[in-house]
Protein backbone atom coordinates (compact mmCIF):
# COMPACT_ATOMS: atom_id res chain seq x y z
CA UNK A 1 0.00 0.00 0.00
CA UNK A 2 0.84 3.68 0.19
CA UNK A 3 2.11 5.57 3.23
CA UNK A 4 1.93 9.32 3.77
CA UNK A 5 3.67 10.75 6.84
CA UNK A 6 3.16 14.36 7.89
CA UNK A 7 6.23 15.46 9.83
CA UNK A 8 4.93 18.02 12.33
CA UNK A 9 8.00 18.53 14.54
CA UNK A 10 11.65 17.54 14.63
CA UNK A 11 13.52 15.76 11.88
CA UNK A 12 13.80 12.37 10.21
CA UNK A 13 16.68 10.65 8.43
CA UNK A 14 14.86 8.60 5.82
CA UNK A 15 16.32 6.04 3.45
CA UNK A 16 14.07 5.53 0.42
CA UNK A 17 15.12 2.99 -2.19
CA UNK A 18 18.73 3.24 -1.01
CA UNK A 19 18.91 7.06 -1.07
CA UNK A 20 19.40 9.03 2.15
CA UNK A 21 17.20 12.05 2.91
CA UNK A 22 17.44 14.34 5.93
CA UNK A 23 14.04 15.93 6.40
CA UNK A 24 13.06 18.74 8.75
CA UNK A 25 9.51 19.63 9.77
CA UNK A 26 7.14 20.64 8.39
CA UNK A 27 7.16 18.14 5.54
CA UNK A 28 5.28 15.28 3.93
CA UNK A 29 6.97 11.94 3.20
CA UNK A 30 5.23 9.79 0.59
CA UNK A 31 6.08 6.14 0.04
CA UNK A 32 4.69 3.88 -2.65
CA UNK A 33 4.25 0.10 -2.73
CA UNK A 34 7.41 -2.01 -2.73
CA UNK A 35 9.69 0.92 -1.94
CA UNK A 36 12.43 -0.08 0.48
CA UNK A 37 12.62 2.37 3.33
CA UNK A 38 14.04 2.85 6.80
CA UNK A 39 14.00 5.87 9.07
CA UNK A 40 15.61 7.32 12.16
CA UNK A 41 13.59 10.02 13.90
CA UNK A 42 14.89 12.70 16.22
CA UNK A 43 13.80 12.51 19.85
CA UNK A 44 11.37 15.42 19.39
CA UNK A 45 9.93 14.16 16.09
CA UNK A 46 6.15 14.17 15.82
CA UNK A 47 4.56 12.38 12.86
CA UNK A 48 0.99 11.89 11.70
CA UNK A 49 0.91 8.76 9.53
CA UNK A 50 -1.69 7.35 7.18
CA UNK A 51 -1.71 4.12 5.21
CA UNK A 52 -4.04 3.08 2.41
CA UNK A 53 -4.24 0.66 -0.48
CA UNK A 54 -4.78 1.51 -4.11
CA UNK A 55 -8.27 0.02 -4.21
CA UNK A 56 -9.45 2.30 -1.40
CA UNK A 57 -9.20 5.40 -3.56
CA UNK A 58 -11.89 6.96 -5.70
CA UNK A 59 -11.33 6.55 -9.44
CA UNK A 60 -10.35 10.18 -10.00
CA UNK A 61 -7.33 9.81 -7.73
CA UNK A 62 -5.91 6.58 -9.15
CA UNK A 63 -4.01 8.45 -11.84
CA UNK A 64 -2.18 10.48 -9.22
CA UNK A 65 -0.79 7.32 -7.67
CA UNK A 66 -0.12 5.66 -11.01
CA UNK A 67 2.36 8.42 -11.68
CA UNK A 68 3.33 9.53 -8.19
CA UNK A 69 6.40 11.37 -9.48
CA UNK A 70 4.38 13.27 -12.09
CA UNK A 71 2.64 15.14 -9.29
CA UNK A 72 5.01 15.08 -6.37
CA UNK A 73 8.34 14.98 -8.25
CA UNK A 74 9.94 13.37 -5.22
CA UNK A 75 8.98 11.38 -2.14
CA UNK A 76 9.58 14.45 0.01
CA UNK A 77 7.37 17.52 0.02
CA UNK A 78 8.65 20.41 2.14
CA UNK A 79 5.93 22.68 3.47
CA UNK A 80 5.47 26.28 4.46
CA UNK A 81 3.45 26.85 7.62
CA UNK A 82 0.29 27.82 5.71
CA UNK A 83 0.64 24.70 3.53
CA UNK A 84 1.01 22.54 6.63
CA UNK A 85 -2.22 23.96 8.01
CA UNK A 86 -3.96 23.26 4.71
CA UNK A 87 -3.03 19.56 4.66
CA UNK A 88 -3.72 19.24 8.38
CA UNK A 89 -7.26 20.47 7.83
CA UNK A 90 -7.86 17.41 5.64
CA UNK A 91 -5.96 15.12 8.03
CA UNK A 92 -8.08 16.21 11.00
CA UNK A 93 -11.31 15.50 9.13
CA UNK A 94 -9.94 12.11 8.10
CA UNK A 95 -9.02 11.27 11.69
CA UNK A 96 -12.38 12.44 13.04
CA UNK A 97 -14.30 10.43 10.45
CA UNK A 98 -12.11 7.36 11.01
CA UNK A 99 -12.79 7.39 14.77
CA UNK A 100 -16.55 7.71 14.40
CA UNK A 101 -18.98 5.04 13.30
CA UNK A 102 -21.34 6.93 11.02
CA UNK A 103 -23.32 5.90 7.95
CA UNK A 104 -21.33 5.85 4.69
CA UNK A 105 -18.13 6.30 6.65
CA UNK A 106 -15.99 4.54 4.03
CA UNK A 107 -17.31 6.69 1.18
CA UNK A 108 -16.56 9.86 3.13
CA UNK A 109 -13.05 8.66 3.97
CA UNK A 110 -12.36 7.80 0.32
CA UNK A 111 -13.31 11.26 -0.91
CA UNK A 112 -11.52 13.16 1.86
CA UNK A 113 -8.36 11.12 1.21
CA UNK A 114 -8.70 11.93 -2.48
CA UNK A 115 -9.01 15.64 -1.69
CA UNK A 116 -5.98 15.40 0.62
CA UNK A 117 -3.82 13.81 -2.11
CA UNK A 118 -4.91 16.33 -4.73
CA UNK A 119 -4.15 19.17 -2.28
CA UNK A 120 -0.63 17.74 -1.84
CA UNK A 121 -0.22 17.65 -5.60
CA UNK A 122 -1.38 21.25 -5.85
CA UNK A 123 1.25 22.30 -3.32
CA UNK A 124 3.96 20.27 -5.05
CA UNK A 125 3.22 21.60 -8.53
CA UNK A 126 1.97 25.18 -8.16
CA UNK A 127 3.66 26.24 -11.40
CA UNK A 128 1.25 24.21 -13.52
CA UNK A 129 -1.91 25.90 -12.28
CA UNK A 130 -5.09 24.27 -11.10
CA UNK A 131 -6.49 23.48 -14.52
CA UNK A 132 -3.44 22.23 -16.38
CA UNK A 133 -2.26 19.80 -13.71
CA UNK A 134 -5.53 17.90 -13.77
CA UNK A 135 -6.23 18.08 -17.50
CA UNK A 136 -6.78 14.46 -18.50
CA UNK A 137 -4.98 14.90 -21.81
CA UNK A 138 -1.75 15.97 -20.14
CA UNK A 139 -1.61 14.15 -16.85
CA UNK A 140 -3.43 11.53 -14.87
CA UNK A 141 -5.52 9.82 -17.52
CA UNK A 142 -3.24 10.75 -20.39
CA UNK A 143 -0.71 8.95 -22.50
CA UNK A 144 2.24 9.45 -20.16
CA UNK A 145 0.39 7.90 -17.25
CA UNK A 146 -0.94 5.02 -19.34
CA UNK A 147 2.64 4.33 -20.39
CA UNK A 148 3.84 4.38 -16.77
CA UNK A 149 1.12 1.92 -15.76
CA UNK A 150 2.02 -0.41 -18.65
CA UNK A 151 5.72 -0.31 -17.78
CA UNK A 152 4.92 -1.27 -14.17
CA UNK A 153 2.87 -4.21 -15.45
CA UNK A 154 4.96 -5.43 -18.40
CA UNK A 155 8.57 -4.32 -17.86
CA UNK A 156 9.81 -7.90 -17.51
CA UNK A 157 8.71 -8.97 -20.98
CA UNK A 158 8.67 -5.66 -22.86
CA UNK A 159 11.84 -3.56 -22.98
CA UNK A 160 11.45 -1.52 -26.19
CA UNK A 161 9.62 1.81 -26.48
CA UNK A 162 8.08 0.58 -29.75
CA UNK A 163 6.34 -2.27 -27.92
CA UNK A 164 4.58 0.14 -25.58
CA UNK A 165 3.79 2.53 -28.43
CA UNK A 166 2.06 -0.33 -30.24
CA UNK A 167 0.01 -1.14 -27.14
CA UNK A 168 -1.03 2.51 -26.89
CA UNK A 169 -1.68 2.90 -30.65
CA UNK A 170 0.79 5.77 -31.13
CA UNK A 171 4.18 6.17 -32.76
CA UNK A 172 7.32 5.67 -30.63
CA UNK A 173 8.33 9.29 -31.28
CA UNK A 174 5.01 10.67 -30.08
CA UNK A 175 5.08 8.44 -27.01
CA UNK A 176 8.60 9.51 -26.14
CA UNK A 177 7.80 13.22 -26.53
CA UNK A 178 4.67 12.94 -24.40
CA UNK A 179 6.40 10.95 -21.66
CA UNK A 180 9.27 13.43 -21.55
CA UNK A 181 6.87 16.37 -21.25
CA UNK A 182 4.79 14.64 -18.54
CA UNK A 183 7.41 12.84 -16.47
CA UNK A 184 10.62 14.63 -17.41
CA UNK A 185 12.52 11.59 -18.69
CA UNK A 186 12.51 9.70 -21.96
CA UNK A 187 10.40 6.57 -22.36
CA UNK A 188 13.53 4.41 -22.55
CA UNK A 189 14.88 5.96 -19.35
CA UNK A 190 11.62 5.09 -17.58
CA UNK A 191 11.81 1.47 -18.75
CA UNK A 192 15.49 1.13 -17.78
CA UNK A 193 14.91 2.79 -14.41
CA UNK A 194 12.11 0.34 -13.64
CA UNK A 195 14.42 -2.59 -14.42
CA UNK A 196 17.19 -1.18 -12.26
CA UNK A 197 14.96 -0.44 -9.28
CA UNK A 198 13.33 -3.86 -9.45
CA UNK A 199 16.77 -5.45 -9.70
CA UNK A 200 17.94 -3.52 -6.63
CA UNK A 201 14.90 -4.60 -4.65
CA UNK A 202 15.33 -8.24 -5.64
CA UNK A 203 19.03 -8.13 -4.82
CA UNK A 204 18.18 -6.69 -1.42
CA UNK A 205 15.21 -8.89 -0.48
CA UNK A 206 15.91 -12.22 -2.11
CA UNK A 207 18.56 -14.77 -1.31
CA UNK A 208 18.69 -15.82 -4.95
CA UNK A 209 21.87 -15.64 -6.99
CA UNK A 210 22.53 -12.93 -9.54
CA UNK A 211 21.89 -15.51 -12.25
CA UNK A 212 18.46 -16.35 -10.81
CA UNK A 213 17.51 -12.68 -10.53
CA UNK A 214 18.66 -12.05 -14.11
CA UNK A 215 16.36 -14.84 -15.21
CA UNK A 216 13.46 -13.48 -13.15
CA UNK A 217 13.86 -10.12 -14.90
CA UNK A 218 14.02 -11.84 -18.31
CA UNK A 219 17.59 -10.92 -19.20
CA UNK A 220 19.13 -13.25 -21.77
CA UNK A 221 21.97 -14.15 -19.44
CA UNK A 222 23.51 -13.00 -16.20
CA UNK A 223 26.54 -11.48 -17.96
CA UNK A 224 24.32 -9.08 -19.92
CA UNK A 225 22.35 -8.31 -16.76
CA UNK A 226 25.58 -7.50 -14.92
CA UNK A 227 26.75 -5.16 -17.71
CA UNK A 228 23.35 -3.43 -17.80
CA UNK A 229 23.28 -3.02 -14.01
CA UNK A 230 26.84 -1.69 -13.81
CA UNK A 231 26.21 0.76 -16.66
CA UNK A 232 23.35 2.33 -14.70
CA UNK A 233 24.67 2.08 -11.14
CA UNK A 234 28.47 1.92 -11.38
CA UNK A 235 28.47 -1.37 -9.44
CA UNK A 236 28.13 -5.03 -10.33
CA UNK A 237 24.97 -6.72 -8.99
CA UNK A 238 27.05 -8.88 -6.63
CA UNK A 239 28.87 -5.87 -5.15
CA UNK A 240 25.63 -3.92 -4.78
CA UNK A 241 23.96 -6.86 -3.04
CA UNK A 242 26.79 -7.32 -0.58
CA UNK A 243 27.18 -3.59 0.14
CA UNK A 244 23.50 -2.83 0.58
CA UNK A 245 22.82 -5.79 2.86
CA UNK A 246 25.72 -4.82 5.07
CA UNK A 247 24.42 -1.25 5.20
CA UNK A 248 20.78 -2.02 5.98
CA UNK A 249 21.17 -5.13 8.08
Amino acid sequence: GYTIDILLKGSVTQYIDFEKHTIHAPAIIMLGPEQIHQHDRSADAEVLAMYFTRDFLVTETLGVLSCWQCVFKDNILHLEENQLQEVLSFARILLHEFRNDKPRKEAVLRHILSAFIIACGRIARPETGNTEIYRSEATFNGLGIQFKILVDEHFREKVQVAEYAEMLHVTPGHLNDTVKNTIGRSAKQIIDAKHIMEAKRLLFWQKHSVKQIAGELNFDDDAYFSRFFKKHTGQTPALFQRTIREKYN
Side-chain angles (χ1 to χ4, degrees):
Y2 295 86
T3 301
I4 299 181
D5 291 343
I6 306 175
L7 181 61
L8 303 171
K9 290 173 55 181
S11 62
V12 174
T13 299
Q14 184 91 41
Y15 293 88
I16 305 172
D17 282 334
F18 316 111
E19 290 189 12
K20 180 180 178 181
H21 305 266
T22 302
I23 310 154
H24 299 277
I28 292 177
I29 305 164
M30 295 159 285
L31 299 168
E34 301 179 358
Q35 285 193 298
I36 294 172
H37 55 92
Q38 287 184 326
H39 65 261
D40 183 20
R41 295 173 180 168
S42 64
D44 62 338
E46 185 177 331
V47 176
L48 178 61
M50 59 185 76
Y51 173 87
F52 53 93
T53 58
R54 179 183 172 85
D55 57 9
F56 187 75
L57 293 170
V58 296
T59 304
E60 291 81 358
T61 318
L62 290 177
V64 182
L65 295 178
S66 297
C67 196
W68 194 261
Q69 70 268 43
C70 303
V71 181
F72 299 106
K73 295 183 180 178
D74 199 353
N75 292 89
I76 315 300
L77 178 58
H78 298 281
L79 302 173
E80 302 292 338
E81 183 60 33
N82 64 314
Q83 295 169 336
L84 172 63
Q85 294 308 315
E86 180 182 350
V87 297
L88 279 179
S89 65
F90 290 101
R92 291 187 185 107
I93 298 171
L94 275 168
L95 187 59
H96 176 77
E97 190 66 29
F98 181 78
R99 287 174 172 172
N100 287 279
D101 190 18
K102 294 182 179 180
R104 307 223 4 114
K105 169 181 175 178
E106 184 174 306
V108 173
L109 285 171
R110 286 173 184 265
H111 283 84
I112 297 171
L113 178 59
S114 176
F116 171 84
I117 292 170
I118 292 171
C120 289
R122 186 171 57 188
I123 292 169
R125 296 288 295 269
E127 74 278 4
T128 59
N130 291 345
T131 56
E132 185 182 345
I133 190 170
Y134 298 111
R135 191 176 61 202
S136 62
E137 222 176 57
T139 53
F140 302 148
N141 299 315
L143 186 62
I145 307 311
Q146 293 176 49
F147 168 73
K148 180 65 169 58
I149 294 170
L150 288 176
V151 170
D152 287 344
E153 292 176 352
H154 300 286
F155 70 94
R156 282 180 170 83
E157 69 270 16
K158 297 185 185 298
V159 297
Q160 300 299 326
V161 175
E163 294 177 288
Y164 292 97
E166 183 177 355
M167 294 172 73
L168 293 165
H169 309 291
V170 296
T171 66
H174 177 63
L175 175 60
N176 192 64
D177 289 343
T178 303
V179 168
K180 200 161 188 178
N181 288 335
T182 305
I183 303 176
R185 291 182 291 172
S186 72
K188 183 59 175 170
Q189 286 175 323
I190 296 294
I191 297 168
D192 287 349
K194 179 65 180 178
H195 273 98
I196 290 297
M197 186 50 65
E198 189 66 16
K200 285 181 175 181
R201 290 170 180 166
L202 291 174
L203 288 163
F204 177 76
W205 287 117
Q206 295 193 5
K207 295 181 179 179
H208 296 164
S209 67
V210 170
K211 184 174 182 177
Q212 288 172 314
I213 291 173
E216 187 169 338
L217 294 175
N218 266 343
F219 283 86
D220 292 335
D221 56 64
D222 54 318
Y224 174 60
F225 169 62
S226 294
R227 291 194 301 272
F228 176 85
F229 190 90
K230 187 172 183 179
K231 174 185 174 183
H232 288 276
T233 68
Q235 293 180 301
T236 65
L239 178 59
F240 173 84
Q241 187 177 57
R242 185 169 63 252
T243 303
I244 211 67
R245 286 182 176 177
E246 288 174 356
K247 179 177 180 181
Y248 283 89
N249 295 325

